[in-house]
Amino acid sequence: MERDDVLIAQARTWLAEDPDPDTREELARLIDAGDTAELAARFAGTLQFGTAGLRGELGAGPMRMNRSVVIRAAAGLAAYLKKQGHTGGTVVIGYDARYKSADFALDTAAVMVGAGLKAALLPKPLPTPVLAFAIRHLGAVAGIEVTASHNPPRDNGYKVYLGDGSQIVPPADAEIAAEIAAVASLDDVPRPSAGWETLRYEDVVGAYLERTDAVLTGGSARDVRVVYTPMHGVGRDVLTAAFERAGFPAPTVVAAQAEPDPDFPTVVFPNPEEPGAMDLAFATAREARPDIVIANDPDADRCAVAVPDQDSPEGWRMLRGDEVGALLATHLVHKNARGTFTTTIVSSSLLSRIAAASTGTPYTETLTGFKWLARVDGLRYAYEEALGYCVDPEGVRDKDGITAALLVAELAAELKESGRTLSDLLDDLAVEHGLHATDQLSVRVQDLSLIADAMRRLREQPPTVLAGLHITSAEDLAKGTESLPPTDGLRYHLAGDESGTVSAARVIVRPSGTEPKIKCYLEVVVPVADAAALADARAKAAEVLASIKTDLSKAAGI
C-alpha cells in the first residue's frame, strides 16, 4: 500500500471513532479533498503527554487537541490513578472559556465515572487557581484543568494535578503517557452520560474566597485604586469578588476585555508580557488615573503589574516578573512570613539576597515551572519570572493570579499611606542589594528544528565572552547538577567588568515547555552606591543586557 493510501486509511479509522461532529466534518473534508499534506501533519504521531499535560492547536487528528485525544488522555490518567490505589477517589475537573473547553471537561468527567472513580466538575469556566484549591479542599486524588493559559486562540490544553494539588512531574508523566498509549480504541473507554457531581458555585468559589483572607493582614491599608484586565479570560468575577471581600475599592475593569471571549479579539497573544497586550489597560489607566494596573492572563494563574512612568510613551511601565517577585518577597518578609522562599533557576538572583538579609528565611532554586516550585519542603513563597506567584501554598499549591493581585494591592496601599510607591520600594532594593536587571531574548519559531539547531550550536561551539564579560562557568543542564534533575538547558555565569560597574551576569538558554520558542534569560547585577546613582546604573545595565542579546543571538544563530 502506498504512503498516501496508508494515510487515508489512518484518517478513516480515526474518523470512525471521532465523537465530535465538528472535527468529524473537518477530517471528512480533508479526506474527500485528498489533502495528504495536511493529513500527514495531523497524523505524524500523537500529541505528547508530558509534565505540562497536553497543549496544542484545536483540530482533528492525533496531533491536535480534540475530544478523541482528550478521552484517551482521561482514560490513561484514570488507569494510572487506579494502579496507584485510588479506585473510588474523587477527580476534580475545571475548565476555562476557550473553544471546546467545556466539552473536554464533560468528556473527562464521563471517563472518570466510567472507570470507577468519582468526578466533581466545576460549575462554570473558572480560574485555574480555583481548581488547584479545590483539589486540596475536597481531598481529591487528582485534578484536571482544561486550559491553554495564555496561548493563542487556536490552542487548548489539559493540565493534570495530583492529590497534593501540585502539577505532575516525572516519573508520573511518563507513566500516565504509557497508559494513554495503551488505549487501543475509544470503544474500549466507558463513557456514561451521567454520574458525576457538578459543584455549586457558592460552595467552591465561596471556600476559595474565604481562603484568600489568609493572604492579607487584618486591618492593613486598603486605599488603592486599580485598573484591571482579565484579558478576555475567566478572572474578572473571582478577582473583583476577592477585592470586595477584602475591602479594597472596586477595580476599574477594562471594558473591551472584561468578558470571556475565546477569540481574544483585542490582542494578538492573550499574554500580558506580549507587546501590545496591555495597550487597552494603559488607555483605561490614562483616563481613570489609578495607582497601579493589574492584569491576569486568561486562566488567571498569572498576575501582571504596571506602575506610572512619566518617561514611558504610554505613561505606564510593566514591571517584570522578577520585580513583582522581589516586591512580594519583601512584603512577606515585613509581614514576618516563615518558611522557605524559592524561585527557578531562570529567575533573578535578587530573591536569594532578600532571603539572606532576612534572618531565618531559607532559600532554594528549582527547575523552571511550578510543578517543581510547589514541591519544595516547607514552602512559604514561590515565584517564577513568567508572572507566576504562589503566596499561599497551604491554600493553592500552584501559581495564583488572584491572591497575588490581593497582596500587590495591599503592598501598594501600605506604601501609598506613607507617601511612597512600588517604584520607590524597587529603588530601595536596588540600593540595598544592587540593581538586578533582567531581560529575555525569546524567539518564536514555526520550525521546531530551529530550536534544536540553536541548542546544538551552543553546545558544540560555546561562547567564552558575552558583552565583553568573560564566562567563568558553563553548565549543560541536560547532565543535571547536585541539586537539579536533568533538563534541556545551558547556564552561563559571567564575571564582572574590570571597572566594577558590573559585578556579575548570568545567562540561561532553554526551549520553552509550552510554546514553540527558544528562551534566553539574562541578568546583570550593577552595584548602586545611593539613590542618585540609580539612573546611571540602569543605563549601564540596559547597555550590557543589549550587548549580551546581540552576542548570544550570533552564537546561537537565532
Side-chain angles (χ1 to χ4, degrees), residues 247-336:
F248 289 109
T252 299
V253 180
V254 177
Q257 297 175 335
E259 296 294 333
D261 189 332
D263 288 319
F264 304 103
T266 68
V267 292
V268 177
F269 290 100
N271 179 354
E273 293 180 294
E274 294 284 347
M278 295 292 289
D279 286 356
L280 287 176
F282 292 159
T284 303
R286 287 193 290 273
E287 294 182 7
R289 301 180 68 82
D291 299 301
I292 56 174
V293 174
I294 290 176
N296 288 137
D297 65 339
D299 69 327
D301 63 351
R302 288 172 170 83
C303 176
V305 181
V307 296
D309 183 354
Q310 62 183 5
D311 295 328
S312 168
E314 295 87 3
W316 289 82
R317 179 176 79 87
M318 272 280 289
L319 297 182
R320 294 190 177 277
D322 286 316
E323 292 177 302
V324 177
L327 289 169
L328 289 175
T330 302
H331 189 40
L332 287 168
V333 166
H334 290 162
K335 288 160 71 82
N336 296 314

Side-chain angles (χ1 to χ4, degrees), residues 1-341:
M1 187 180 292
E2 293 185 2
R3 176 179 175 277
D4 287 356
D5 293 333
V6 171
L7 197 56
I8 295 292
Q10 282 182 296
R12 291 192 186 282
T13 299
W14 185 274
L15 178 64
E17 288 190 346
D18 191 339
D20 188 333
D22 294 333
T23 47
R24 282 178 58 83
E25 181 182 349
E26 176 187 327
L27 188 54
R29 283 200 308 268
L30 293 174
I31 293 171
D32 292 344
D35 191 344
T36 53
E38 182 61 24
L39 288 172
R42 306 292 185 95
F43 288 85
T46 57
L47 205 57
Q48 291 301 299
F49 185 93
T51 53
L54 294 169
R55 195 174 292 189
E57 185 177 349
L58 290 163
M63 288 295 291
R64 299 289 186 268
M65 281 295 296
N66 51 65
R67 290 182 60 195
S68 296
V69 165
V70 165
I71 290 167
R72 283 180 164 81
L77 175 60
Y80 168 82
L81 291 172
K82 290 168 72 175
K83 285 187 176 179
Q84 297 296 311
H86 296 310
T87 299
T90 297
V91 177
V92 190
I93 304 152
Y95 56 102
D96 66 10
R98 286 177 178 265
Y99 288 116
K100 297 294 180 181
S101 285
D103 294 336
F104 295 168
L106 283 168
D107 281 332
T108 300
V111 170
M112 294 301 160
V113 171
L117 294 150
K118 297 174 184 175
L121 190 67
L122 295 191
K124 59 178 287 187
L126 286 167
T128 293
V130 175
L131 179 277
F133 164 81
I135 296 167
R136 294 167 69 88
H137 178 65
L138 298 174
V141 299
I144 295 119
E145 178 71 13
V146 180
T147 181
S149 189
H150 54 271
N151 274 37
R154 64 179 181 272
D155 290 358
N156 212 327
Y158 199 76
K159 184 184 292 187
V160 176
Y161 298 77
L162 295 181
D164 62 353
S166 59
Q167 298 173 47
I168 55 170
V169 296
D173 56 343
E175 293 169 0
I176 295 169
E179 297 292 347
I180 295 171
V183 179
S185 167
L186 293 192
D187 296 335
D188 300 331
V189 181
R191 284 177 287 144
S193 58
W196 54 88
E197 175 188 9
T198 299
L199 298 169
R200 283 168 31 96
Y201 182 89
E202 296 80 5
D203 292 342
V204 66
V205 177
Y208 171 81
L209 289 172
E210 284 182 19
R211 181 68 206 183
T212 62
D213 295 346
V215 175
L216 303 174
T217 300
S220 62
R222 295 290 192 272
D223 179 21
V224 61
R225 291 172 297 122
V226 175
V227 160
Y228 168 70
T229 175
M231 204 70 69
H232 298 296
V234 296
R236 181 194 61 186
D237 291 349
V238 178
L239 182 136
T240 54
F243 268 60
E244 180 182 8
R245 179 184 179 90
F248 289 109
T252 299
V253 180
V254 177
Q257 297 175 335
E259 296 294 333
D261 189 332
D263 288 319
F264 304 103
T266 68
V267 292
V268 177
F269 290 100
N271 179 354
E273 293 180 294
E274 294 284 347
M278 295 292 289
D279 286 356
L280 287 176
F282 292 159
T284 303
R286 287 193 290 273
E287 294 182 7
R289 301 180 68 82
D291 299 301
I292 56 174
V293 174
I294 290 176
N296 288 137
D297 65 339
D299 69 327
D301 63 351
R302 288 172 170 83
C303 176
V305 181
V307 296
D309 183 354
Q310 62 183 5
D311 295 328
S312 168
E314 295 87 3
W316 289 82
R317 179 176 79 87
M318 272 280 289
L319 297 182
R320 294 190 177 277
D322 286 316
E323 292 177 302
V324 177
L327 289 169
L328 289 175
T330 302
H331 189 40
L332 287 168
V333 166
H334 290 162
K335 288 160 71 82
N336 296 314
R338 290 290 177 261
T340 299
F341 283 26

